[in-house]
């Protein structure tokens, strides 16, 4: 399988980092096109892949083409390659807000798939949602799942839910980083060294998330297990509720969802 990326930004690097160590693909079969030569050299040296300015050398022979460019430059980039891709190539877009219907207009002969991944793919802990187009077969969807679950987990969703995915898991890591930073600040305020506080906070978030995933229990049930009557945890939970932390998180994700919808309309 030959996979070609249009765009060499942070999300492309996260995916490349995830798949480059997999046994089913060789680094020499991964291609990245980016308009910055320095960026290409960096990706080439770090991951031993092919990274070049311009996609002409691989676009006609790629089995999978992953569109990983910014929304504002998406249509220009698509116009540059749409007549060069092989009719059997799978087109995968990770462009926020770009609908399958618009992609299928540009690639009428290709199976088209839309994916919303997130940056923890870079550490094999990503979360990706996959929506399939009208000409996508099960085998095509399986390939997309293989790519994006190689560095985390992937789920199939209806396209109408992609804005919700964008706000929740796409933007979500940024919100969690803010929480980790705030938790470590509290640790420093209580007397801990910064590096120790960051490690304690980050591992606590990681472990808590792992408990939710592996036990299948509702987060509220797990919270109750930690919350002893009259103890320290309920004191902190009370302050969080009083200060509206839960509401702030809901509002932040809702705002991100609405922004994704607005970008799609543009």
């Amino acid at each position: 399988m030959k996979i070609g990326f249009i765009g060499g930004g942070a999300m492309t690097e996260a995916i490349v980092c995830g798949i480059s160590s997999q046994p089913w693909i060789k680094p020499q079969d991964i291609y990245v096109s980016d308009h910055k030569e320095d960026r290409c050299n960096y990706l080439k040296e770090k991951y031993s892949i092919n990274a070049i300015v311009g996609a002409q050398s691989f676009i006609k022979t790629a089995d999978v083409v992953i569109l990983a460019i910014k929304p504002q430059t998406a249509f220009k980039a698509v116009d540059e390659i749409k007549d060069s891709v092989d009719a059997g190539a799978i087109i995968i877009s990770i462009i926020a807000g770009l609908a399958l219907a618009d992609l299928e207009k540009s690639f009428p002969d290709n199976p088209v798939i839309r994916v919303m991944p997130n940056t923890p793919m870079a550490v094999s802990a990503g979360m990706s949602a996959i929506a399939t187009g009208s000409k996508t077969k099960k085998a095509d969807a399986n390939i997309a799942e293989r790519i994006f679950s190689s560095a985390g987990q992937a789920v199939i969703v209806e396209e109408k839910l992609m804005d919700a995915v964008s706000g929740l898991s796409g933007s979500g890591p940024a919100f969690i980083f803010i929480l980790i930073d705030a938790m470590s600040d509290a640790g420093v305020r209580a007397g801990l060294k910064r590096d120790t506080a960051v490690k304690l906070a980050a591992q606590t978030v990681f472990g808590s998330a792992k408990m939710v995933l592996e036990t299948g229990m509702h987060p509220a049930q797990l919270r109750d297990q930690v919350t002893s009557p009259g103890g320290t945890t309920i004191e902190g939970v009370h302050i969080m509720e009083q200060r509206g932390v839960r509401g702030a998180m809901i509002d932040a994700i809702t705002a991100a969802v609405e922004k994704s919808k607005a970008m799609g309309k543009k």
Side-chain angles (χ1 to χ4, degrees), residues 169-223:
S169 65
S171 300
F175 308 147
I176 299 303
F177 296 146
I178 290 172
L179 289 178
I180 292 173
D181 191 30
M183 290 170 69
S184 63
D185 277 349
V188 171
R189 187 181 185 191
L192 293 168
K193 292 183 178 180
R194 173 62 65 179
D195 58 345
T196 301
V198 170
K199 188 171 185 177
L200 285 164
Q203 181 63 28
T204 297
V205 170
F206 173 75
S208 302
K210 192 172 183 181
M211 285 188 73
V212 172
L213 291 172
E214 294 189 2
T215 66
M217 295 173 65
H218 192 281
Q221 290 177 285
L222 294 168
R223 179 202 62 206

Side-chain angles (χ1 to χ4, degrees), residues 87-123:
I90 301 170
I91 307 298
I92 298 178
S93 169
I94 64 170
I95 304 168
L98 187 57
L100 286 169
D102 291 324
L103 288 164
E104 288 182 334
K105 288 178 183 177
S106 297
F107 301 100
D109 300 321
N110 299 86
V112 175
I113 297 173
R114 184 178 170 190
V115 181
M116 175 54 65
N118 63 14
T119 53
M121 282 196 74
V123 292

Side-chain angles (χ1 to χ4, degrees), residues 1-215:
M1 184 187 300
K2 181 185 288 187
I3 300 177
F5 291 82
I6 307 300
M11 200 64 250
T12 288
E13 183 175 2
I15 300 169
V16 167
C17 183
I19 66 174
S20 59
S21 61
Q22 296 298 310
W24 49 266
I25 189 167
K26 299 176 182 178
Q28 57 263 38
D29 289 327
I30 300 172
Y31 293 78
V32 175
S33 168
D34 192 84
H35 66 284
K36 296 179 180 178
E37 189 171 354
D38 289 347
R39 181 64 177 171
C40 292
N41 291 336
Y42 162 79
L43 292 170
K44 187 188 305 182
E45 292 174 10
K46 185 168 183 179
Y47 300 102
S48 300
I49 62 171
N50 304 284
I52 49 178
V53 176
Q56 294 81 3
S57 64
F58 67 82
I59 195 66
K60 293 182 179 180
T61 57
D63 301 298
V64 179
V65 177
I66 299 180
L67 306 175
I69 54 270
K70 295 183 184 299
Q72 56 266 35
T73 60
F75 287 106
K76 180 181 178 182
V78 167
D79 284 341
E80 290 176 355
I81 66 166
K82 66 181 182 181
D83 295 325
S84 299
V85 297
D86 183 82
I90 301 170
I91 307 298
I92 298 178
S93 169
I94 64 170
I95 304 168
L98 187 57
L100 286 169
D102 291 324
L103 288 164
E104 288 182 334
K105 288 178 183 177
S106 297
F107 301 100
D109 300 321
N110 299 86
V112 175
I113 297 173
R114 184 178 170 190
V115 181
M116 175 54 65
N118 63 14
T119 53
M121 282 196 74
V123 292
S124 299
M127 186 68 243
S128 301
I130 299 170
T132 57
S134 59
K135 294 186 178 181
T136 305
K137 298 178 181 178
K138 185 173 178 57
D140 304 322
N142 288 343
I143 289 174
E145 281 194 88
R146 175 188 285 187
I147 292 171
F148 289 91
S149 64
S150 65
Q153 296 191 38
V155 294
I156 302 290
V157 301
E158 296 179 68
E159 187 186 17
K160 66 182 181 180
L161 298 174
M162 290 299 273
D163 291 315
V165 171
S166 177
L168 179 55
S169 65
S171 300
F175 308 147
I176 299 303
F177 296 146
I178 290 172
L179 289 178
I180 292 173
D181 191 30
M183 290 170 69
S184 63
D185 277 349
V188 171
R189 187 181 185 191
L192 293 168
K193 292 183 178 180
R194 173 62 65 179
D195 58 345
T196 301
V198 170
K199 188 171 185 177
L200 285 164
Q203 181 63 28
T204 297
V205 170
F206 173 75
S208 302
K210 192 172 183 181
M211 285 188 73
V212 172
L213 291 172
E214 294 189 2
T215 66

